[in-house]
Amino acid sequence: GPEWSRVFSRSHIFTRVMAHVVITGCSSGIGLELCRQLTARGDVVYAACRNSSPELEAVGVKGGVVTGVDVCTDAGCDSLRAYLAERSVRVDVLVNNAGGLGAAPGHTWDEQVAQQTFGANLDVAAMSRAFEVNVVGVVRVSKALESSVKAPGGKIAIISSLMGSCGDNGSGGFLPYRVSKAAVNMAGVTMACDLKEKGIAVGLIHPGMLQTNFGNLQEAPKSKQKHFRPVEPGCVGVVQAIDALTMETTGSFIHGNYGNGLKPCPW
C-alpha cells in the first residue's frame, strides 16, 4: 500500500503519514482485528503475541509477527524491545491490548462467571491472575518500550473496559476482572501524568462488548451473547479513539462506541 494517504475534506487536505504501531495480544479477537484494520490503511504493524495463529499470519502485517511475547514475563517484554531495537523502530503508537478474565484454564463461561462472583464460589486466585495480565502486564510492556516510543508525539493506548468503571457498576459480578480494569485505569492516568513532559499521550479505551472468544464467550448462553456486537465496528471505534488521542486529551477514558462517535466513559 502507499506510504501515506490523502483525505480531502472541504477546504482542508490532511496527509496521514504511515504510522509504526505495536500491538500486544494479536493472535485473536480485538488485537487481530486491529492488525487487520491498521494494516489495511497502510500502517506498519508489529503484532506481538505468545503464539501466532493462521488468522494473524494471513493479515500480512508489515512489521512482522513477534511471538514469545508473554506480557506477564520480563523476558517476553524484553524480546519485543529487542526486536524493535534491532530494526531501529520509533514507535508511533503502542496498543496494550493483551488481557484476560483471570480465570484458570479449562473452565466454561458459566463456571468462570460463578468463580468471578463474590460469594462461596469466588476464585480468589483469579484476583492476582487478572491483575498480573491486565495491570502489571500493561505497565511492564509500556516500561520496556518507553524508550522506543516517539517523544514527543508518541501515543500509548490501553484497551480498558467500562467494567472497570465504579460509576457504571450497577450489576456486580466479574469481581477480579472489574478490579483489574479499575486499577489499569489508574495506571493509565498516572502514566499520562508521568509522561506529559516527554510529550507522550496515554489513552484508556473501552472497545465495547464484542463478539470475540474472550473468556470462552462463544460457549456462553445465547441470551448473554446477544448483548455482544461484531468485533469489526468495535475496532473501528478503537482506531478512531487512538487517532483522536492528543496531549490535550491525555489521561482520558473513551468509549470507541462502535464507530458511531466517541464518548467519554464515567470513572
Side-chain angles (χ1 to χ4, degrees):
E3 290 200 0
W4 48 267
S5 61
R6 283 195 178 129
V7 181
F8 294 85
S9 173
R10 293 184 186 161
S11 61
H12 298 285
I13 299 175
F14 300 100
T15 303
R16 211 188 66 76
V17 179
M18 173 181 71
H20 291 261
V21 184
V22 177
I23 308 173
T24 62
C26 288
S27 59
S28 63
I30 292 171
L32 174 63
E33 181 59 24
L34 288 175
C35 286
R36 286 192 184 115
Q37 293 189 16
L38 293 176
T39 297
R41 76 177 192 177
D43 290 337
V44 179
V45 174
Y46 303 84
C49 51
R50 286 177 296 179
N51 303 292
S52 189
S53 64
E55 294 83 4
L56 178 55
E57 295 297 334
V59 175
V61 294
K62 295 190 185 76
V65 174
V66 191
T67 57
V69 181
D70 182 345
V71 301
C72 295
T73 67
D74 290 339
C77 295
D78 288 343
S79 69
L80 177 57
R81 177 174 57 194
Y83 180 94
L84 298 169
E86 282 161 15
R87 291 156 182 79
S88 302
V89 178
R90 301 307 293 163
V91 178
D92 294 292
V93 184
L94 166 60
V95 182
N96 284 292
N97 166 71
L101 276 177
H107 292 284
T108 65
W109 175 261
D110 287 339
E111 287 168 345
Q112 289 180 83
V113 170
Q115 291 167 7
Q116 291 250 338
T117 303
F118 185 77
N121 293 319
L122 178 68
D123 179 7
V124 175
M127 299 286 292
S128 51
R129 285 193 298 265
F131 203 87
E132 185 61 35
V133 64
N134 295 337
V135 187
V136 183
V138 168
V139 174
R140 184 183 282 115
V141 171
S142 301
K143 177 178 181 282
L145 300 194
E146 183 202 352
S147 59
S148 305
V149 176
K150 189 181 289 181
K155 304 181 186 187
I156 297 177
I158 298 169
I159 304 302
S160 183
S161 174
L162 201 51
M163 297 280 278
S165 165
C166 293
D168 186 67
N169 185 3
S171 57
F174 295 96
L175 178 63
Y177 183 71
R178 283 187 184 278
V179 170
S180 71
K181 288 301 187 179
V184 82
N185 283 353
M186 178 58 87
V189 172
T190 305
M191 286 164 55
C193 293
D194 294 346
L195 290 170
K196 201 167 272 186
E197 246 178 58
K198 284 193 158 189
I200 296 173
V202 182
L204 296 144
I205 302 169
H206 170 54
M209 296 173 68
L210 304 181
Q211 294 163 356
T212 67
N213 203 29
F214 185 77
N216 290 333
L217 173 63
Q218 285 162 18
E219 295 176 7
K222 290 284 181 279
S223 61
K224 296 287 183 204
Q225 289 193 33
K226 71 180 183 189
H227 299 297
F228 292 80
R229 303 206 204 176
V231 72
E232 294 87 352
C235 287
V236 167
V238 170
V239 171
Q240 288 175 351
I242 292 169
D243 287 346
L245 177 63
T246 65
M247 288 307 298
E248 283 66 50
T249 60
T250 189
S252 57
F253 183 22
I254 298 296
H255 187 349
N257 199 28
Y258 315 101
N260 296 317
L262 302 177
K263 299 193 300 190
C265 291
W267 294 105

